[in-house]
């Protein structure tokens, strides 16, 4: 007989072999670990899936993410702890290994060049790899939903496999291995070593332990140009398909651009702007906006930006944001996913370096970052928070954190503009 959440399967065989704690361990072994995680939530989640599902089918534009959320919550509720353990411990790392290998072998490009199903052996030959090996990798990628199976050892492309033919998307996989994931995996050891203090030193955090380096993340990238280029591509891709502050109905862009600008005045200075994807998007969405658009970053990054065929109105300028901002009196100094890379002390320096350039009553600082809500934080945001902790000793911030940080640099927040859960807000600031 199976008794859910009961202990009728108690075996008394405590895995730690100690005489105390038997009751708890026997209880877990008896039934909890092999019963659904939160079965009481299943009926309402099934209703939510159905409701959002119908809305999705009738083309409600917001329904897709609601449906995805409800479906995900339903999986978590239905899954047993044993199944969750296997998902976390086996599936995530092995899927990652197969994705990265498949990217490296060009398997997605081979599979996705047309809609015709392809045999594993044919793909292996085209990739110059062992047929048995490729067939094992493809079988796993199919089992976890990356590609579709059309017959024994025969597969078909999906939207995901097609997107992985673009380097902008596929670079995420080698990038994480080259400069991110080892830091995350070192978090438990680093936190134990430091007595479980919240990390606050970007040159002595899990990143340095995991990658066995004394360097800060961005200095490490300077020494690993391939990883740096992959990182920049990942930066340009990860926010695609989500509301952007440049879209109508998010931030008041017309109020920003309908301003008096003199000859040579800057409209937007994108600090740490990477390869210029945000300024390109701005130019595309607001083609008639007046004033200079200035892309600032480190020299190595700007070398890559120069290969990107940026719009001629985008001016490229080397600038280290730990030094004083050279573009004076711009309408807006913009930073996207920049301050979350740095500790509060470093962010204060970055902000203070903009202050002397700002013209009172005219200049703004626009910070495009996550604002962690008190409840119901989105998993992408919390993932990023742990990545920041691991690799930068920094953090995603709450509204209170943002107010404290901005005010510490002699500025004030005018308004936090937010579109939807899990999407970076626009924090609009001016001189205090
Ligand atoms: C997380 S990326 C964000 C890039 C871009 N704003 C975006 O949202 O895609 C941070 C950027 O800050 C740049 N950066 C790091 N240190 C810098 C410094 N001292 N001065 C200027 N830029 C820097 C990096 O090269 C990188 O392009």
């Amino acid at each position: 007989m199976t008794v859910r959440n009961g202990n009728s399967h108690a075996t008394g065989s405590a895995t730690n072999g100690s005489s105390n704690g038997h009751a708890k361990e026997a209880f877990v072994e008896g039934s909890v670990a092999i019963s659904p995680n939160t079965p009481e939530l299943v009926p309402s989640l099934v209703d939510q899936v159905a409701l959002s599902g119908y809305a999705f089918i009738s083309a409600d534009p917001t329904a897709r993410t609601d449906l995805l959320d409800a479906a995900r919550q339903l999986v978590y509720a239905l899954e047993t702890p044993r199944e969750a353990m296997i998902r976390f411990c086996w599936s995530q790392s092995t899927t990652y290994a197969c994705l990265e290998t498949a990217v490296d072998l060009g398997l997605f490009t081979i599979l996705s060049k047309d809609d015709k199903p392809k045999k594993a052996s044919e793909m292996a030959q085209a990739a110059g790899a062992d047929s048995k090996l490729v067939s094992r990798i493809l079988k796993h990628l199919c089992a976890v939903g990356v590609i579709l199976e059309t017959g024994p050892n025969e597969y078909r492309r999906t939207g995901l496999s097609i997107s992985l033919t673009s380097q902008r998307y596929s670079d995420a996989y080698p990038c994480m291995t080259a400069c991110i994931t080892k830091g995350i995996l070192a978090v438990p050891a680093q936190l134990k070593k430091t007595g479980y203090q919240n990390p606050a030193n970007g040159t002595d955090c899990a990143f340095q332990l995991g990658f066995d380096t004394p360097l800060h993340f961005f200095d490490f990238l300077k020494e690993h140009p391939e990883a740096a280029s992959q990182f920049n591509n990942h930066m340009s891709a990860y926010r695609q398909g989500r509301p952007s502050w440049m879209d109508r109905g998010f931030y008041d862009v017309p109020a920003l651009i309908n301003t008096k600008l003199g000859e040579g005045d800057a409209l937007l200075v994108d600090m740490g702007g990477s390869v210029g994807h945000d300024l390109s998007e701005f130019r595309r969405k607001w083609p008639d906006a007046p004033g200079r658009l200035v892309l600032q970053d480190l020299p190595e990054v700007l070398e890559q930006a120069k290969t990107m065929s940026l719009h001629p109105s985008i001016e490229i300028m080397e600038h280290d944001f730990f030094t004083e901002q050279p573009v004076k009196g711009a309408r807006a100094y913009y930073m996207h996913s920049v301050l979350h890379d740095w500790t509060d002390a470093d962010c204060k320096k970055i902000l203070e370096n903009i202050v002397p350039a700002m013209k009172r009553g005219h200049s703004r600082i626009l910070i495009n970052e996550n604002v962690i809500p008190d409840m119901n934080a989105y998993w992408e945001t919390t993932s990023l928070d742990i990545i920041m902790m691991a690799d930068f000793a920094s953090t995603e911030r709450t509204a209170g954190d943002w107010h404290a940080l901005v005010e510490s640099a002699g500025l004030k927040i005018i308004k936090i503009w937010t579109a939807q859960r899990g999407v970076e807000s626009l924090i609009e600031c001016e001189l205090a």
Side-chain angles (χ1 to χ4, degrees):
M1 185 182 70
T2 302
V3 180
R4 198 186 60 70
N5 290 347
N7 63 359
S8 67
H9 285 198
T11 62
S13 56
T15 50
N16 64 7
S18 67
S19 57
N20 46 19
H22 273 192
K24 191 171 168 224
E25 298 235 350
F27 180 77
V28 169
E29 283 194 22
S31 67
V32 173
I34 53 169
S35 302
N37 189 26
T38 47
E40 67 283 7
L41 300 182
V42 170
S44 66
L45 286 168
V46 168
D47 285 346
Q48 273 181 45
V49 167
L51 280 174
S52 310
Y54 288 126
F56 176 69
I57 292 164
S58 39
D60 173 341
T62 61
R64 192 193 66 84
T65 47
D66 291 346
L67 175 58
L68 202 50
D69 244 0
R72 203 175 271 125
Q73 294 303 325
L74 181 59
V75 168
Y76 297 158
L78 273 179
E79 199 173 52
T80 68
R82 179 238 159 237
E83 288 161 348
M85 172 181 79
I86 301 300
R87 177 166 57 84
F88 289 126
C89 300
W90 294 7
S91 156
Q92 294 188 350
S93 50
T94 54
T95 301
Y96 199 93
C98 289
L99 277 163
E100 190 181 337
T101 306
V103 163
D104 192 42
L105 281 175
L107 292 179
F108 296 117
T109 307
I110 297 164
L111 178 66
S112 305
K113 68 172 186 274
D114 55 46
D115 203 31
K116 282 204 278 277
K118 292 175 188 59
K119 290 278 181 202
S121 54
E122 173 192 343
M123 293 174 61
Q125 195 180 21
D130 182 89
S131 182
K132 179 79 186 155
L133 171 77
V134 167
S135 114
R136 291 170 67 188
I137 289 172
L138 293 176
K139 209 170 259 305
H140 188 43
L141 290 176
C142 174
V144 295
V146 176
I147 55 176
L148 288 177
E149 197 167 58
T150 47
N153 268 317
E154 187 186 80
Y155 300 97
R156 212 188 80 202
R157 69 182 183 180
T158 58
L160 176 49
S161 71
I162 293 170
S163 76
L164 289 171
T165 64
S166 154
Q167 202 178 351
R168 198 171 173 203
Y169 285 89
S170 65
D171 263 0
Y173 299 88
C175 164
M176 294 297 288
T177 299
C179 63
I180 306 275
T181 306
K182 281 187 201 160
I184 301 167
L185 296 177
V187 163
Q190 175 72 9
L191 293 182
K192 192 186 272 290
K193 191 177 106 183
T194 56
Y196 297 98
Q197 298 303 304
N198 200 28
N201 182 349
T203 52
D204 185 11
C205 61
F207 178 81
Q208 287 76 27
L209 183 66
F211 283 93
D212 192 18
T213 175
L215 299 175
H216 185 275
F217 177 86
F218 286 112
D219 294 321
F220 182 85
L221 284 193
K222 285 180 196 162
E223 297 206 343
H224 296 84
E226 193 180 5
S229 158
Q230 291 162 347
F231 177 76
N232 295 334
N233 277 340
H234 182 43
M235 287 302 98
S236 78
Y238 86 86
R239 78 285 312 279
Q240 296 298 311
R242 301 189 305 176
S244 150
W245 66 271
M246 301 169 202
D247 298 337
R248 286 178 197 280
F250 190 145
Y251 171 67
D252 192 356
V253 177
L256 184 81
I257 63 181
N258 293 335
T259 184
K260 219 164 153 240
L261 290 179
E263 179 75 25
D265 283 352
L267 177 71
L268 209 48
V269 181
D270 187 357
M271 301 172 55
S274 187
V275 291
H277 36 267
D278 280 8
L279 286 183
S280 298
E281 181 186 346
F282 185 82
R283 181 46 83 214
R284 198 170 61 249
K285 291 181 173 167
W286 299 92
D288 301 323
R292 293 161 60 205
L293 301 181
V294 184
L295 171 65
Q296 296 182 333
D297 209 299
L298 300 171
E300 310 75 36
V301 179
L302 294 179
E303 282 311 308
Q304 191 179 347
K306 286 176 192 162
T307 68
M308 294 283 176
S309 316
L310 295 177
H311 190 277
S313 65
I314 298 173
E315 195 179 314
I316 292 180
M317 179 186 288
E318 286 176 22
H319 173 59
D320 174 349
F321 48 50
F322 286 105
T323 63
E324 190 175 316
Q325 174 56 246
V327 180
K328 306 295 175 194
R331 177 64 165 147
Y333 299 92
Y334 167 65
M335 283 177 286
H336 185 183
S337 301
V338 164
L339 296 180
H340 77 164
D341 294 337
W342 301 94
T343 61
D344 284 351
D346 284 332
C347 287
K348 182 169 181 281
K349 287 183 206 152
I350 295 170
L351 290 169
E352 283 173 344
N353 276 318
I354 309 173
V355 167
M358 294 176 75
K359 189 161 131 195
R360 188 168 288 282
H362 174 73
S363 299
R364 305 257 184 280
I365 296 180
L366 300 177
I367 302 170
N368 195 194
E369 292 255 8
N370 288 303
V371 178
I372 302 232
D374 291 340
M375 284 186 70
N376 204 21
Y378 192 53
W379 66 271
E380 287 189 16
T381 315
T382 51
S383 298
L384 206 49
D385 184 45
I386 303 304
I387 294 175
M388 293 304 124
M389 175 202 289
D391 290 324
F392 301 87
S394 65
T395 182
E396 298 298 321
R397 294 179 167 90
T398 63
D401 294 335
W402 281 116
H403 276 279
L405 178 61
V406 163
E407 286 159 23
S408 75
L411 297 154
K412 67 176 185 215
I413 293 180
I414 303 171
K415 180 169 172 177
I416 299 180
W417 304 74
T418 299
Q420 74 182 48
R421 177 170 175 252
V423 170
E424 290 143 323
S425 298
L426 194 72
I427 305 164
E428 185 178 24
C429 313
E430 65 180 358
L431 291 171

